[in-house]
Amino acid sequence: MCLGILLLFTSALQAAPSVLVSIKPIYGLTAYLMQDVGAPALLLPDNASPHYYAFKPSDRAKLAHADLFIFIDYEMESFLKAKQLATIPQVLQLSKIPALRTVPTRNPKHEHAHDHDHDHDHDHDHDHTHGVTDWHVWLDIDNAKVISEAIAAQLMLLDPEHKTQYQHNLTQLLAELTILDQQLQSDMAPLHDASFMVYHDAYQYFATRYHLKLPAVLHWQPEAPITAKQLGNIQTQVTAEHITCLFLEPQFDNPKLLQLAEQLHLSVHQLDPLGSSLARDKTAYFQLLQDLSSSLTGCLLPTAPNPSSNSYSKTQ
């Protein structure tokens, strides 16, 4: 009797599909949808940027074992090539979801930005890191809902035996995302007129969703060093826009920025659009947005403490 129950339990675990996800925000949504069925795996290591990550042999092995691979777009995960994904049974490219809301990047080099063609092919190699579309789409909760629905549909197709569980998880996830959205609308309301600066242009979706000013951007090409001319332009912009907060990211380390912030009397905090330090579980997406809210509020609210020393830390 006990042996039979054990065999059934083992069989159920083995029946869970092998799902691999490129980045942690999407991993968090997928983990929520897969609860009580199995757990996805994460391709990128913590603290790695999908823009500049170098594909490794170990990543090839992860892809080879996947029944389903989920990623955003070849422009976002620029280390990926279509040929690397050719043998995976199912691939879900989120940029092809028709209902996904996208906006152009604000990078001055892409002022010719146009609407992204969701049906274009990616059979060529990608040696660029930024296209004309801003692919930080998960920072809009409406997009997170659309993404969750697409992932759930793909899981049901891949694993119809657990369709009821996936549908139950989706219903619960959508309800909790609505609650989170309402909470963030309230939390961000006092910040509508605040000016601030971010390390790179990752926050359009979040700012637009919660009626914040679009942040000033410190560096349009984070992989390149900041020049003396750029530093001068930053100082001019900080003064002109009365910016008091600079938000850095753990994926990019530049000691010069901390020195600059001190010279300009800026409070330095951390925003992490990828949730690098968060646990790999179903709470990751929720905690990511709550952390963004907390960081913004902590620096921008007039009633919040104005620290004399920088609160930014790579270990946060």
Side-chain angles (χ1 to χ4, degrees):
M1 179 76 173
C2 291
L3 179 60
I5 293 174
L6 179 61
L7 289 173
L8 285 173
F9 180 74
T10 303
S11 175
L13 288 179
Q14 292 174 340
S18 176
V19 179
L20 181 65
V21 187
S22 61
I23 60 173
K24 192 175 289 183
I26 308 305
Y27 173 94
L29 297 173
T30 307
Y32 197 112
L33 292 167
M34 292 188 68
Q35 61 182 317
D36 298 324
V37 176
L42 182 63
L43 180 61
L44 256 67
D46 295 337
N47 221 38
S49 167
H51 300 308
Y52 315 114
Y53 181 68
F55 192 78
K56 297 177 173 59
S58 59
D59 299 322
R60 188 175 293 109
K62 291 179 183 178
L63 290 170
H65 287 92
D67 299 316
L68 169 62
F69 177 57
I70 304 169
F71 75 112
I72 293 179
D73 189 85
Y74 291 97
E75 289 179 355
M76 182 67 186
E77 294 93 336
S78 56
F79 61 93
L80 289 174
K81 308 291 186 291
K83 60 188 176 182
Q84 295 166 337
L85 312 183
T87 61
I88 302 175
Q90 292 190 28
V91 175
L92 179 57
Q93 183 176 332
L94 300 176
S95 63
K96 291 189 174 184
I97 301 173
L100 193 72
R101 186 182 77 85
T102 63
V103 297
T105 179
R106 295 191 293 155
N107 192 327
K109 289 191 174 184
H110 296 300
E111 290 179 351
H112 62 285
H114 52 77
D115 289 339
H116 188 77
D117 180 359
H118 288 286
D119 297 322
H120 71 289
D121 292 327
H122 288 277
D123 293 331
H124 56 286
D125 286 348
H126 289 260
D127 55 3
H128 60 279
T129 55
H130 292 286
V132 296
T133 300
D134 182 344
W135 287 116
H136 302 87
V137 290
W138 64 89
L139 294 181
D140 182 329
I141 282 189
D142 276 350
N143 275 343
K145 291 180 177 180
V146 168
I147 289 169
S148 298
E149 291 170 341
I151 294 173
Q154 198 75 30
L155 288 171
M156 293 179 207
L157 182 66
L158 176 65
D159 182 24
E161 181 180 348
H162 295 104
K163 180 178 181 179
T164 301
Q165 185 65 51
Y166 293 134
Q167 185 60 60
H168 170 78
N169 292 344
L170 174 63
T171 300
Q172 191 173 24
L173 174 56
L174 295 178
E176 292 198 20
L177 287 172
T178 296
I179 293 172
L180 174 62
D181 188 35
Q182 293 169 346
Q183 173 194 328
L184 293 174
Q185 292 283 3
S186 175
D187 292 345
M188 293 294 96
L191 306 183
H192 290 175
D193 296 325
S195 297
F196 59 101
M197 178 172 282
V198 296
Y199 186 71
H200 91 290
D201 194 27
Y203 305 97
Q204 285 194 84
Y205 292 97
F206 189 89
T208 301
R209 178 87 190 160
Y210 300 112
H211 311 289
L212 306 178
K213 287 184 178 180
L214 289 178
V217 176
L218 181 67
H219 205 11
W220 293 106
Q221 293 180 297
E223 76 281 8
I226 296 179
T227 65
K229 180 179 179 181
Q230 288 172 321
L231 289 175
N233 291 338
I234 292 167
Q235 182 170 0
T236 300
Q237 186 175 20
V238 165
T239 302
E241 299 183 21
H242 306 288
I243 293 171
T244 60
C245 294
L246 170 62
F247 294 92
L248 302 183
E249 298 176 20
Q251 294 84 15
F252 306 101
D253 180 27
N254 192 330
K256 288 185 178 180
L257 298 182
L258 296 179
Q259 297 173 10
L260 176 67
E262 187 174 352
Q263 294 170 8
L264 298 178
H265 307 289
L266 294 174
S267 283
V268 181
H269 291 244
Q270 176 173 285
L271 288 181
D272 183 1
L274 293 169
S276 302
S277 63
L278 300 179
R280 298 186 181 188
D281 59 28
K282 70 173 189 175
T283 68
Y285 181 82
F286 293 86
Q287 190 62 53
L288 165 61
L289 265 65
Q290 288 167 343
D291 285 354
L292 293 182
S293 174
S294 295
S295 291
L296 289 167
T297 302
C299 191
L300 294 173
L301 268 186
T303 56
N306 188 13
S308 57
S309 60
N310 292 329
S311 65
Y312 173 78
S313 170
K314 286 179 63 182
T315 60
Q316 283 184 317

